[in-house]
Amino acid sequence: MNTNDVHRLSISGVTVAHGAEVVVKRATLTVRAGEMVALVGPSGSGKSTLLGAIAGFYPVQAGAIWVGEELVASPTLSLPPERRRIGVVFQSHALWPQWMVVDNVAYPLRRRGMARPAARREAEMMLAAIGMDAFAARYPSELSGGQRQRVGLARALAARPDLYLFDEPTASLDPANREAFMQEVRERIRTTQAGALYVSHQADEALSLAHRVAVMMQGEILQVGAPAEVYECPRTAEIARLLGPAACATGVVHAVDARGWARVQIADSEQTIRLSSLHREVDHGRVSLMMRPEWCELTDDEASLPCRVVRVQYVGHRTLYELESLAGRLLASHTGPPQYQEGERVGWKVRRASVLER
Ligand code: ADP
Ligand code: MG
């Protein structure tokens, strides 16, 4: 069997409540062997609760969770966390305070029966991989919060589980360590063919790291897809904005050719746009369009839509413009430093757009 077809995690119709509040609603998701799935969503959308239910910290009200082939949770069954073959790296780590760092990391190996010298050697390797080898002989109380977090990661990696759950593990790491941490995680997933479900609060991290992205809002998983698919063809405006800057406007489609090029009227300007849509053919008539700033340009062209620049944001590699127009708030960007100023009148053109569901 192709390992792509092996599921490390399957959740089906899972509902989780905290008291009377239903926080996760009928969530369905799979993580395949060797796959990293990023779970993204606004704060309070239920991401940590879903991870907690998978890890075995919360019971499920409906649905089922399998780790590999094994049913671990349903309304009538709940395996304890330690029997779920899951490596958990959450924001707060419970390290054993009376043990040195190296022994904390070696613990899961010792528990599997590895001799102490071998377990320590492996633990030291894990610590070196995340830049923590100099801290092996310290105690947890002698570490910063970020350092403790990295020790928690090293311990989860050392356990070699079938599935990793990460809940914003890089939140307290500086950018250089974040990169090393992520590299290590990705390499582990690839070589061990484990799976990982990764909650990230940073859209760019999720998009660049994950094989697939799952978007959660108000307890529901609303869209799952490859990073480019979710970024370029989000189902809704909320999903679009969660993953990066996006402008939305109403357009009227007059004509579409076989290759997806369309004549679209936006306010009083008719533009030729490459239209994409997640599931359906683009029909003539009124549609909701989502446009990334990098799909739009500022120009003096006659066919452009007149705008006024209301905000200029220079971020080093590109300049982002916020614009006011008859079609509402629009965006555009180009590489390099600003070429237009706030208050200036310019024309706006869009080369491509994605049709939203609503
Ligand atoms: P996220 O991780 O996406 O920010 P959470 O899963 O932490 O979201 O929270 C989702 C909702 O559940 C929030 O309304 C939060 O207040 C509530 N909640 C989270 N954990 C608990 C808990 N242990 N007890 C009661 N309510 C909780
Ligand atoms: Mg959370």
Side-chain angles (χ1 to χ4, degrees), residues 35-165:
E35 188 181 41
M36 285 192 79
V37 176
L39 186 61
V40 300
S43 180
S45 56
K47 306 181 297 295
S48 295
T49 300
L50 178 57
L51 256 59
I54 298 166
F57 307 148
Y58 308 124
V60 305
Q61 259 70 48
I65 302 173
W66 291 264
V67 176
E69 302 279 287
E70 188 176 23
L71 179 66
V72 300
S74 75
T76 54
L77 170 104
S78 183
L79 279 194
E82 65 277 10
R83 290 194 43 210
R84 294 193 181 195
R85 292 178 293 128
I86 294 176
V88 173
V89 186
F90 286 2
Q91 273 163 314
S92 57
H93 288 291
L95 301 177
W96 285 281
Q98 73 279 19
W99 290 358
M100 286 193 296
V101 161
V102 67
D103 292 320
N104 264 284
V105 176
Y107 172 75
L109 302 167
R110 296 277 294 139
R111 215 177 65 159
R112 281 214 319 262
M114 196 184 277
R116 179 184 287 262
R120 278 200 159 190
R121 265 199 310 279
E122 174 115 13
E124 274 159 7
M125 253 171 54
M126 291 300 152
L127 287 165
I130 55 160
M132 287 290 290
D133 38 338
F135 298 87
R138 292 216 194 166
Y139 289 88
S141 61
E142 300 168 325
L143 301 176
S144 73
Q147 289 166 341
R148 276 202 285 273
Q149 189 148 26
R150 280 147 69 197
V151 175
L153 170 70
R155 187 174 63 183
L157 294 176
R160 299 183 187 280
D162 293 343
L163 176 72
Y164 294 96
L165 300 176

Side-chain angles (χ1 to χ4, degrees), residues 265-330:
Q265 185 158 351
I266 300 175
D268 54 5
S269 118
E270 184 159 293
Q271 307 225 0
T272 304
I273 310 177
R274 166 129 199 138
L275 278 187
S276 52
S277 172
L278 191 57
H279 296 302
R280 54 199 170 92
E281 296 277 293
V282 178
D283 291 329
H284 293 190
R286 191 174 287 271
V287 289
S288 292
L289 298 173
M290 188 288 293
M291 296 158 290
R292 297 290 181 195
E294 61 271 24
W295 301 346
C296 307
E297 63 194 348
L298 298 179
T299 166
D300 304 325
D301 197 318
E302 295 253 308
S304 64
L305 177 68
C307 290
R308 196 171 65 85
V309 176
V310 292
R311 202 162 99 91
V312 181
Q313 193 187 5
Y314 175 54
V315 290
H317 62 290
R318 72 168 180 168
T319 303
L320 185 65
Y321 298 92
E322 207 175 300
L323 309 149
E324 232 171 45
S325 78
L326 281 179
R329 178 181 155 278
L330 297 172

Side-chain angles (χ1 to χ4, degrees), residues 207 226-234 240 243-245 290 292-295:
L207 291 170
E229 181 182 289
V230 181
Y231 181 81
E232 297 188 1
C233 279
L243 295 170
M290 188 288 293
R292 297 290 181 195
E294 61 271 24
W295 301 346

